[in-house]
Amino acid sequence: MTPETALSETVDVLAAQAERFSDTPSSAPWLVIASVLAAQQAATLALRAAGDSIPAQAGATELLLRAASKDRLPVPFTLPFGAQARQSFEGLVEARNQFMHPRGQIWQISDAPLWRGVRVAARTVRHLILTQPVLEDLVAPNQQNLIRSDLQTLDLIADFYDDPHA
């Protein structure tokens, strides 16, 4: 499987988990995992296309910070990843790590940090793959369409959870 296909499939899983969330809150860990993985995959694709050598053990946040560096991805490809976005994404990474490496604690993430992090992951994929890809053909047009559709689904669901009247 190519990295581009893997990203497209990850974003599809992410959208499916988001759709399940209201009926099946136990899907939250998989929503977290897919969000972090999708952002990592998008950053890796963009960085490799720009010729960046990615360390073998690069962490999720490190990959996004690399993509946000003008030295690694020149403007306009540089990922907008400010302090608030970083904090939201790191909340997802921490939740993922707690789930994947339990230490006798109950796993939990509340809705607000969950959806803030999901939005950051979606914006990362959107910017690096659809809006400002380093290469026009970084991802095939049919995969771009699938990713675009799945990200629209994520946006709608995140909007629902951000609505104070919901």
Side-chain angles (χ1 to χ4, degrees), residues 78-89:
T78 311
L79 175 66
F81 191 61
Q84 188 173 16
R86 180 178 177 174
Q87 182 180 18
S88 295
F89 187 72

Side-chain angles (χ1 to χ4, degrees), residues 143-162:
Q143 289 172 328
Q144 288 180 28
N145 291 336
L146 293 171
I147 291 169
R148 186 174 286 108
S149 175
D150 286 334
L151 292 177
Q152 288 172 345
T153 298
L154 278 173
D155 290 341
L156 289 171
I157 295 168
D159 287 347
F160 171 80
Y161 283 99
D162 282 346

Side-chain angles (χ1 to χ4, degrees), residues 10-141:
T10 300
V11 174
D12 190 53
V13 167
L14 174 55
Q17 293 302 328
E19 288 176 326
R20 286 186 191 99
F21 181 75
S22 66
D23 293 331
T24 314
S26 63
S27 68
W30 307 111
L31 179 58
V32 167
I33 291 166
S35 296
V36 172
L37 182 57
Q40 284 179 280
Q41 289 172 322
T44 300
L45 279 170
L47 289 164
R48 284 198 177 131
D52 190 42
S53 58
I54 301 166
Q57 297 296 320
T61 303
E62 180 184 349
L63 288 170
L64 272 61
L65 288 170
R66 283 174 168 266
S69 169
K70 293 176 181 139
D71 294 334
R72 298 190 185 277
L73 282 182
V75 174
F77 312 115
T78 311
L79 175 66
F81 191 61
Q84 188 173 16
R86 180 178 177 174
Q87 182 180 18
S88 295
F89 187 72
E90 285 178 340
L92 277 188
V93 171
E94 183 179 321
R96 181 211 51 193
N97 291 346
Q98 287 175 353
F99 180 73
M100 298 298 291
H101 309 286
R103 290 182 172 81
Q105 301 173 358
I106 296 174
W107 185 89
Q108 67 177 2
I109 186 169
S110 60
D111 284 357
L114 170 66
W115 292 103
R116 280 193 303 265
V118 169
R119 281 189 186 276
V120 170
R123 283 194 306 264
T124 297
V125 172
R126 184 176 284 112
H127 178 81
L128 295 174
I129 303 303
L130 302 175
T131 307
Q132 290 294 339
V134 173
L135 303 171
E136 268 189 52
D137 60 350
L138 185 61
V139 174

